[in-house]
Amino acid sequence: MGRSPCCEKAHTNKGAWTKEEDDRLISYIRAHGEGCWRSLPKAAGLLRCGKSCRLRWINYLRPDLKRGNFTEEEDELIIKLHSLLGNKWSLIAGRLPGRTDNEIKNYWNTHIRRKLLNRGIDPATHRPLNEAATAATVTTNISFGKQEQQETSSSNGSVVKGSILERCPDLNLELTISPPRQQQQTQKNLCFVCSLGLHNSKDCSCNVSNAVTVNNT
DNA sequence: AATGGTGCCAACCGCGCTATG
DNA sequence: ACATAGCGCGGTTGGCACCAT
């Protein structure tokens, strides 16, 4: 069964956005807020696909975006988060305020990969290049799935978290996507999944999602 | 100055997940 | 329980800018 196209391609613009299109999108979202991307283009008078509008807003027009070069601290944080999360760019972006997943993905592919290679580190495994071949299985074990939790003796993920912190002792995994202050009330007994901000994940073992949902309302 | 190569980044594409009827 | 719609994500691509020759 085929999937219906997200928009009528024959009647949509593609390619680079014009200033006028940007202005229309910004003013519409300011007036009506984000959401309902499918109907947004028509409502905003844009000949664009909803996905395209969403991408443009998230990656370029959002007012809280931090444009400009990445700092050395951001570099190191990205490297560490990538070693833990892999190519989960949206999760990594959640740890870097003002940065988007697309921006981080591009930055990784253009700068950090090369930087790691220059250090003699395999960007895929975060192991020395000559060990990379044997390290693949090690890296895949650092996930946050149920299987991993079964392999550990701790139901709250503390063993898993400990092993990661052995590799990245200065990485603060208590970070959260938002809002940080509310998180403090519930993070006492968080599993590893929740410590990464994935409160609604099916892999959550501490069932804190309900509490977080309540707190966010 | 012209040309070709390379790097970078914005944008697109296709798929998976979730919500809803 | 199932089908469909919509959203979000990760991978890929197109085109522009810059640099070397």
Coordinates of all heavy atoms in Angstrom, one line a residue, chain C residues 1-20:
Chain C
dA1 P -6.7 -6.0 19.7 OP1 -6.0 -7.3 19.9 OP2 -6.1 -4.8 20.2 O5' -7.2 -5.9 18.2 C5' -7.9 -6.9 17.6 C4' -8.1 -6.6 16.2 O4' -8.9 -5.3 16.1 C3' -6.8 -6.3 15.4 O3' -7.0 -6.8 14.1 C2' -6.6 -4.8 15.4 C1' -8.1 -4.3 15.4 N9 -8.3 -3.1 16.2 C8 -7.8 -2.8 17.4 N7 -8.1 -1.6 17.9 C5 -8.9 -1.1 16.8 C6 -9.6 0.1 16.6 N6 -9.7 1.1 17.6 N1 -10.3 0.3 15.5 C2 -10.3 -0.7 14.6 N3 -9.7 -1.9 14.6 C4 -9.0 -2.0 15.8
dC2 P -5.7 -6.8 13.1 OP1 -5.8 -8.0 12.3 OP2 -4.5 -6.4 13.9 O5' -6.1 -5.5 12.2 C5' -7.3 -5.5 11.5 C4' -7.5 -4.1 10.9 O4' -7.7 -3.1 12.0 C3' -6.3 -3.6 10.1 O3' -6.7 -3.5 8.7 C2' -6.0 -2.2 10.7 C1' -7.2 -1.9 11.5 N1 -7.0 -1.1 12.7 C2 -7.6 0.2 12.9 O2 -8.4 0.6 12.0 N3 -7.4 0.9 14.0 C4 -6.6 0.5 14.9 N4 -6.4 1.2 16.0 C5 -6.0 -0.8 14.8 C6 -6.2 -1.5 13.7
dA3 P -5.7 -3.0 7.6 OP1 -6.0 -3.7 6.4 OP2 -4.4 -3.0 8.2 O5' -6.1 -1.5 7.4 C5' -7.5 -1.2 7.3 C4' -7.7 0.3 7.0 O4' -7.6 1.0 8.3 C3' -6.6 0.9 6.1 O3' -7.3 1.9 5.2 C2' -5.6 1.6 7.0 C1' -6.5 2.0 8.2 N9 -5.8 1.9 9.5 C8 -5.0 0.9 10.0 N7 -4.5 1.1 11.2 C5 -5.1 2.3 11.6 C6 -5.0 3.1 12.7 N6 -4.3 2.8 13.8 N1 -5.8 4.3 12.8 C2 -6.5 4.6 11.7 N3 -6.6 4.0 10.5 C4 -5.9 2.8 10.5
dT4 P -6.5 2.6 4.1 OP1 -7.5 2.8 2.9 OP2 -5.2 2.0 3.9 O5' -6.3 4.0 4.7 C5' -7.4 4.8 5.3 C4' -6.9 6.0 6.0 O4' -6.2 5.6 7.3 C3' -5.8 6.8 5.3 O3' -6.4 8.1 5.1 C2' -4.6 6.8 6.2 C1' -5.2 6.5 7.5 N1 -4.3 5.8 8.5 C2 -4.1 6.3 9.8 O2 -4.7 7.3 10.1 N3 -3.3 5.6 10.6 C4 -2.6 4.4 10.3 O4 -1.9 3.8 11.1 C5 -2.8 3.9 8.9 C7 -2.2 2.6 8.5 C6 -3.7 4.6 8.1
dA5 P -5.5 9.2 4.3 OP1 -6.5 10.0 3.5 OP2 -4.3 8.6 3.7 O5' -5.1 10.2 5.5 C5' -6.0 10.5 6.5 C4' -5.4 11.4 7.6 O4' -4.6 10.6 8.5 C3' -4.5 12.5 7.0 O3' -4.7 13.7 7.7 C2' -3.1 11.9 7.2 C1' -3.2 11.1 8.4 N9 -2.4 9.9 8.5 C8 -2.2 8.9 7.5 N7 -1.4 7.9 7.9 C5 -1.1 8.2 9.2 C6 -0.4 7.5 10.2 N6 0.3 6.4 10.0 N1 -0.3 8.1 11.4 C2 -0.9 9.2 11.7 N3 -1.7 10.0 10.8 C4 -1.7 9.4 9.6
dG6 P -4.0 15.0 7.2 OP1 -4.9 16.1 7.5 OP2 -3.5 14.8 5.8 O5' -2.8 15.1 8.2 C5' -3.0 15.1 9.6 C4' -1.7 15.0 10.3 O4' -1.2 13.7 10.2 C3' -0.6 15.9 9.8 O3' -0.3 16.8 10.9 C2' 0.5 15.0 9.4 C1' 0.2 13.7 10.2 N9 0.7 12.5 9.6 C8 0.5 12.1 8.3 N7 1.0 10.9 8.0 C5 1.6 10.6 9.2 C6 2.4 9.4 9.5 O6 2.6 8.4 8.8 N1 2.8 9.4 10.8 C2 2.5 10.4 11.7 N2 3.0 10.3 13.0 N3 1.8 11.5 11.4 C4 1.4 11.5 10.2
dC7 P 0.9 17.9 10.7 OP1 0.5 19.1 11.5 OP2 1.4 18.0 9.3 O5' 2.1 17.1 11.5 C5' 1.8 16.6 12.8 C4' 3.0 15.9 13.4 O4' 3.2 14.7 12.7 C3' 4.3 16.7 13.3 O3' 4.9 16.7 14.6 C2' 5.1 16.0 12.2 C1' 4.6 14.6 12.3 N1 4.6 13.8 11.1 C2 5.3 12.6 11.0 O2 5.8 12.1 12.1 N3 5.3 11.8 9.9 C4 4.6 12.3 8.8 N4 4.7 11.6 7.7 C5 4.0 13.6 8.8 C6 4.0 14.3 9.9
dG8 P 6.2 17.6 14.8 OP1 6.1 18.1 16.2 OP2 6.3 18.6 13.7 O5' 7.4 16.6 14.7 C5' 7.3 15.4 15.5 C4' 8.5 14.5 15.2 O4' 8.3 13.8 14.0 C3' 9.8 15.3 15.1 O3' 10.8 14.6 15.9 C2' 10.1 15.2 13.6 C1' 9.4 13.9 13.2 N9 9.0 13.9 11.8 C8 8.3 14.9 11.1 N7 8.0 14.6 9.9 C5 8.5 13.3 9.7 C6 8.4 12.4 8.6 O6 8.0 12.6 7.5 N1 9.1 11.2 8.9 C2 9.6 10.8 10.1 N2 10.2 9.6 10.2 N3 9.7 11.6 11.2 C4 9.1 12.8 10.9
dC9 P 12.3 15.1 16.0 OP1 12.6 15.0 17.4 OP2 12.4 16.4 15.3 O5' 13.1 14.0 15.2 C5' 12.8 12.6 15.5 C4' 13.5 11.8 14.5 O4' 12.8 11.8 13.2 C3' 15.0 12.2 14.2 O3' 15.8 11.2 14.6 C2' 15.0 12.5 12.7 C1' 13.7 11.9 12.2 N1 13.1 12.7 11.1 C2 12.9 12.1 9.8 O2 13.3 11.0 9.6 N3 12.3 12.8 8.8 C4 11.9 14.1 9.1 N4 11.3 14.7 8.1 C5 12.1 14.7 10.4 C6 12.7 13.9 11.3
dG10 P 17.4 11.5 14.6 OP1 17.9 10.7 15.7 OP2 17.6 12.9 14.5 O5' 17.9 10.8 13.2 C5' 17.6 9.5 13.0 C4' 18.0 9.1 11.6 O4' 17.2 9.8 10.6 C3' 19.5 9.5 11.2 O3' 20.1 8.4 10.5 C2' 19.3 10.8 10.3 C1' 18.0 10.5 9.7 N9 17.2 11.7 9.3 C8 17.0 12.8 10.1 N7 16.3 13.8 9.5 C5 16.0 13.2 8.3 C6 15.2 13.7 7.2 O6 14.6 14.8 7.2 N1 15.1 12.8 6.2 C2 15.6 11.6 6.2 N2 15.4 10.8 5.1 N3 16.4 11.1 7.1 C4 16.5 11.9 8.2
dG11 P 21.6 8.6 9.9 OP1 22.2 7.3 10.2 OP2 22.2 9.9 10.3 O5' 21.3 8.7 8.3 C5' 20.5 7.7 7.7 C4' 20.3 8.0 6.3 O4' 19.5 9.1 6.1 C3' 21.6 8.3 5.5 O3' 21.6 7.6 4.3 C2' 21.6 9.8 5.4 C1' 20.1 10.1 5.3 N9 19.7 11.4 5.8 C8 20.1 12.0 7.0 N7 19.6 13.2 7.1 C5 18.8 13.4 6.0 C6 18.1 14.5 5.6 O6 17.9 15.6 6.2 N1 17.5 14.4 4.3 C2 17.7 13.2 3.5 N2 17.1 13.3 2.4 N3 18.4 12.2 3.9 C4 18.9 12.3 5.1
dT12 P 22.8 7.7 3.3 OP1 22.9 6.4 2.5 OP2 24.0 8.2 4.0 O5' 22.3 8.8 2.2 C5' 21.1 8.7 1.6 C4' 20.8 9.9 0.8 O4' 20.5 11.0 1.6 C3' 21.9 10.3 -0.2 O3' 21.4 10.2 -1.5 C2' 22.3 11.7 0.3 C1' 21.0 12.2 1.0 N1 21.2 13.2 2.1 C2 20.5 14.4 2.0 O2 19.8 14.7 1.1 N3 20.8 15.2 3.1 C4 21.6 15.0 4.2 O4 21.7 15.8 5.1 C5 22.2 13.7 4.2 C7 23.1 13.3 5.4 C6 22.0 12.9 3.2
dT13 P 22.4 10.6 -2.7 OP1 22.0 9.7 -3.8 OP2 23.8 10.6 -2.3 O5' 21.9 12.1 -3.1 C5' 20.5 12.3 -3.1 C4' 20.3 13.8 -3.4 O4' 20.5 14.6 -2.2 C3' 21.2 14.4 -4.5 O3' 20.4 15.2 -5.3 C2' 22.2 15.2 -3.7 C1' 21.4 15.7 -2.5 N1 22.1 16.0 -1.3 C2 21.7 17.2 -0.6 O2 20.9 18.0 -1.0 N3 22.4 17.4 0.6 C4 23.4 16.6 1.1 O4 23.9 16.9 2.2 C5 23.7 15.4 0.4 C7 24.7 14.5 0.9 C6 23.0 15.2 -0.7
dG14 P 20.9 15.6 -6.8 OP1 20.0 15.1 -7.7 OP2 22.4 15.3 -6.9 O5' 20.8 17.2 -6.7 C5' 19.7 17.8 -6.0 C4' 19.8 19.3 -5.9 O4' 20.5 19.6 -4.7 C3' 20.6 19.9 -7.1 O3' 19.9 21.2 -7.3 C2' 22.0 20.1 -6.5 C1' 21.8 20.2 -5.0 N9 22.8 19.6 -4.2 C8 23.4 18.4 -4.4 N7 24.2 18.1 -3.4 C5 24.1 19.1 -2.5 C6 24.7 19.4 -1.2 O6 25.5 18.6 -0.6 N1 24.3 20.5 -0.6 C2 23.3 21.4 -1.2 N2 23.0 22.5 -0.4 N3 22.7 21.2 -2.3 C4 23.2 20.1 -2.9
dG15 P 20.4 22.1 -8.5 OP1 19.2 22.7 -9.1 OP2 21.4 21.3 -9.3 O5' 21.2 23.3 -7.8 C5' 20.6 23.9 -6.7 C4' 21.6 24.8 -6.0 O4' 22.5 24.0 -5.2 C3' 22.5 25.6 -6.9 O3' 22.8 26.9 -6.4 C2' 23.8 24.8 -6.9 C1' 23.8 24.3 -5.4 N9 24.6 23.2 -5.1 C8 24.9 22.1 -5.8 N7 25.7 21.2 -5.3 C5 26.0 21.8 -4.0 C6 26.8 21.4 -3.0 O6 27.4 20.3 -2.9 N1 26.8 22.3 -1.9 C2 26.1 23.5 -1.9 N2 26.2 24.2 -0.8 N3 25.3 23.9 -2.9 C4 25.3 23.0 -3.9
dC16 P 23.0 28.1 -7.3 OP1 21.7 28.7 -7.6 OP2 23.9 27.7 -8.4 O5' 23.8 29.1 -6.3 C5' 23.4 29.1 -5.0 C4' 24.6 29.2 -4.1 O4' 25.2 27.9 -4.0 C3' 25.7 30.1 -4.5 O3' 26.0 31.1 -3.5 C2' 26.9 29.2 -4.8 C1' 26.6 28.0 -3.9 N1 27.2 26.7 -4.4 C2 28.0 26.0 -3.5 O2 28.3 26.5 -2.4 N3 28.6 24.8 -3.9 C4 28.3 24.4 -5.1 N4 28.8 23.2 -5.5 C5 27.4 25.1 -6.0 C6 26.9 26.2 -5.6
dA17 P 27.0 32.3 -3.8 OP1 26.4 33.5 -3.1 OP2 27.3 32.3 -5.2 O5' 28.3 31.8 -3.0 C5' 28.1 31.4 -1.7 C4' 29.5 31.0 -1.1 O4' 29.9 29.7 -1.5 C3' 30.6 32.0 -1.5 O3' 31.4 32.2 -0.3 C2' 31.3 31.2 -2.6 C1' 31.1 29.8 -2.2 N9 31.1 28.8 -3.3 C8 30.4 29.0 -4.5 N7 30.5 28.0 -5.3 C5 31.3 27.1 -4.6 C6 31.8 25.8 -4.9 N6 31.6 25.2 -6.0 N1 32.6 25.2 -4.0 C2 32.8 25.8 -2.8 N3 32.4 27.0 -2.4 C4 31.7 27.6 -3.4
dC18 P 32.6 33.3 -0.4 OP1 32.6 34.0 0.9 OP2 32.5 34.0 -1.7 O5' 33.9 32.4 -0.4 C5' 33.9 31.3 0.5 C4' 35.1 30.3 0.1 O4' 34.6 29.5 -1.0 C3' 36.4 31.0 -0.3 O3' 37.4 30.5 0.6 C2' 36.6 30.6 -1.7 C1' 35.8 29.4 -1.8 N1 35.2 29.0 -3.2 C2 35.5 27.8 -3.8 O2 36.2 27.0 -3.1 N3 35.1 27.5 -5.0 C4 34.3 28.4 -5.7 N4 33.9 28.1 -6.9 C5 34.0 29.7 -5.1 C6 34.5 29.9 -3.9
dC19 P 38.8 31.2 0.6 OP1 39.3 31.3 2.0 OP2 38.8 32.4 -0.3 O5' 39.7 30.1 -0.2 C5' 39.6 28.8 0.2 C4' 40.3 27.9 -0.8 O4' 39.5 27.8 -2.0 C3' 41.7 28.5 -1.3 O3' 42.7 27.5 -1.1 C2' 41.5 28.7 -2.8 C1' 40.3 27.8 -3.1 N1 39.4 28.3 -4.2 C2 39.2 27.4 -5.3 O2 39.8 26.3 -5.4 N3 38.4 27.9 -6.4 C4 37.9 29.1 -6.3 N4 37.1 29.5 -7.3 C5 38.1 30.0 -5.2 C6 38.9 29.5 -4.2
dA20 P 44.2 27.8 -1.3 OP1 45.0 27.3 -0.2 OP2 44.3 29.3 -1.7 O5' 44.5 26.9 -2.6 C5' 44.1 25.6 -2.6 C4' 44.4 24.9 -4.0 O4' 43.4 25.4 -4.9 C3' 45.7 25.2 -4.5 O3' 46.3 24.0 -5.1 C2' 45.4 26.3 -5.6 C1' 44.0 26.0 -6.0 N9 43.2 27.1 -6.5 C8 43.0 28.3 -5.8 N7 42.2 29.1 -6.4 C5 41.8 28.4 -7.5 C6 40.9 28.8 -8.6 N6 40.3 29.9 -8.7 N1 40.7 27.8 -9.5 C2 41.4 26.7 -9.5 N3 42.2 26.2 -8.5 C4 42.4 27.2 -7.6

